[in-house]
Amino acid sequence: MECRVLSIQSHVVRGYVGNKSASFPLQVLGFEVDSINSVQFSNHTGYSHWKGQVLTADELHVLYEGIKLNNVHHYDYVLTGYTRDTSFLEMVVDIVQELKRANPNLVYVCDPVLGDHGSMYVPQNLYPVYKNKVVPVADIITPNQFEAEITSLRLSPLDSMFQVMDLLHAMGPDTVVITSSDLPSRLGDRFLVSLGSQRHVRPDGSRTTQRVRIEVPKVDAVFVGTGDLFAAMLLAWTHHYPNDLKTACEKTFSVMHHVIQRTISYAHDLAGPGRRPSPPQLELRMVQSKADIEDPAIVTEATVIP
């Protein structure tokens, strides 16, 4: 059965960010993807220069109305990422709510891009919109430590991190994956810790929660577009394994590992010995990773936490 995704994310002409990081791998895995570009830039903003346009909330509404007029607004998933504008974000919420009224089984996957390492890199006024409007309508969210932490609970020790995920569950999403944290890894300081939590409703109406922990190798480089790829892969693998967060996370993190390792190897070859790769050299090697996206060898295992 055909599965359709509406992806509302940024777009770049050069490289893989936003919709380009999400659409290709989803299409490789058999999803039909309709893309709305929240921004259209020449390249990502890690370069020295960039040019482009930003889509307004009104323009988003016009595009969505065009889809509706043709009666092709029937989706199984909505996927969103980075935005800097409150009115645009509120329009996204309106669209998601309308699509959910038409299809109560629609799954909204949200990467709540707010900041990292204690600093916001979007305007402060986006935070209450995410907290009060976006998260309550989301089904799957993929925050990093900081984005989860600003829900008001600390993430250390481990128990508090799971309290944060329980709080996020109570706000709406059934699946929460904290993509990175500062928790110490059992494998040493060359690894970071990710955590996942997924709640299910049993036939009798009671709830059960599966929690997993993933140790992820660190890479000494800055990539752009990896968060978009991660959210897309989590969408895909939770679709294929809806009641098995462990397997979905292992598939997702393993895809990330293969793409990143191929990218860093290629970038170092281009940069030459002793030289740090540049942003153009670190563009994700997405097409070259097609086979790994389709059928990733599992190199990152998740541990189920009782």
Side-chain angles (χ1 to χ4, degrees):
M1 182 178 175
E2 185 174 274
C3 194
R4 302 196 69 88
V5 180
L6 176 61
S7 181
I8 306 174
Q9 301 199 73
S10 57
H11 172 81
V12 292
V13 177
R14 172 73 164 90
Y16 286 90
V17 173
N19 273 327
K20 286 179 74 175
S21 282
S23 295
F24 172 74
L26 284 172
Q27 288 167 333
V28 163
L29 289 169
F31 293 82
E32 290 287 348
V33 183
D34 292 349
S35 300
I36 294 178
N37 300 328
S38 58
V39 305
Q40 184 160 278
F41 287 171
S42 56
N43 45 268
H44 69 68
T45 57
Y47 284 71
S48 300
H49 309 282
W50 69 91
K51 298 287 185 180
Q53 302 83 36
V54 178
L55 194 72
T56 67
D58 288 341
E59 290 165 338
L60 171 61
H61 179 69
V62 168
L63 290 174
Y64 177 65
E65 286 298 310
I67 295 171
K68 282 175 58 180
L69 287 171
N70 289 294
N71 195 32
V72 290
H73 60 301
H74 309 292
Y75 295 100
D76 303 285
Y77 289 89
V78 175
L79 174 64
T80 65
Y82 176 79
T83 185
R84 292 184 57 86
D85 180 75
T86 55
S87 60
F88 188 93
L89 197 54
E90 289 170 340
M91 180 60 66
V92 167
V93 172
D94 290 344
I95 290 172
V96 169
Q97 289 175 323
E98 182 170 317
L99 291 173
K100 282 195 170 193
R101 285 193 292 271
N103 175 17
N105 294 319
L106 180 141
V107 174
Y108 174 28
V109 181
C110 174
D111 180 11
V113 183
L114 291 167
D116 205 357
H117 303 297
S119 299
M120 298 278 285
Y121 41 63
V122 297
Q124 293 276 352
N125 59 359
L126 257 70
Y127 166 63
V129 180
Y130 270 109
K131 182 177 180 180
N132 300 322
K133 297 184 178 181
V134 177
V135 173
V137 299
D139 300 283
I140 300 174
I141 59 171
T142 59
N144 58 35
Q145 169 167 338
F146 172 72
E147 289 157 350
E149 196 169 30
I150 61 174
T151 59
S152 80
L153 289 176
R154 293 181 57 82
L155 290 186
S156 181
L158 180 60
D159 286 346
S160 293
M161 182 173 281
F162 284 121
Q163 289 174 18
V164 168
M165 290 194 286
D166 286 342
L167 175 62
L168 290 169
H169 283 320
M171 293 169 68
D174 285 330
T175 301
V176 178
V177 176
I178 296 179
T179 56
S180 62
S181 74
D182 292 334
L183 286 173
S185 170
R186 300 163 184 163
L187 302 179
D189 58 9
R190 294 186 179 181
F191 290 77
L192 58 82
V193 175
S194 298
L195 294 168
S197 180
Q198 185 177 59
R199 65 180 182 180
H200 306 280
V201 179
R202 296 189 180 100
D204 64 3
S206 63
R207 292 184 180 274
T208 181
T209 303
Q210 183 186 45
R211 291 170 168 172
V212 298
R213 174 178 176 135
I214 309 100
E215 316 282 333
V216 184
K218 293 179 181 178
V219 179
D220 185 22
V222 176
F223 302 96
V224 179
T226 50
D228 309 311
L229 174 61
F230 183 91
M233 290 298 88
L234 190 64
L235 181 160
W237 293 116
T238 53
H239 174 78
H240 289 298
Y241 299 93
N243 299 310
D244 186 356
L245 184 62
K246 179 181 187 296
T247 299
C249 282
E250 288 176 343
K251 295 273 192 180
T252 299
F253 279 96
S254 292
V255 169
M256 300 303 300
H257 174 87
H258 295 306
V259 172
I260 288 171
Q261 289 303 315
R262 182 171 286 106
T263 301
I264 196 67
S265 177
Y266 176 79
H268 281 307
D269 287 345
L270 286 182
R275 301 191 65 179
R276 203 164 179 85
S278 65
Q281 293 166 341
L282 286 168
E283 291 284 8
L284 296 178
R285 303 292 286 170
M286 200 77 77
V287 172
Q288 297 77 7
S289 302
K290 177 177 177 290
D292 291 316
I293 293 168
E294 289 178 299
D295 186 20
I298 302 302
V299 294
T300 305
E301 294 190 359
T303 302
V304 175
I305 299 173

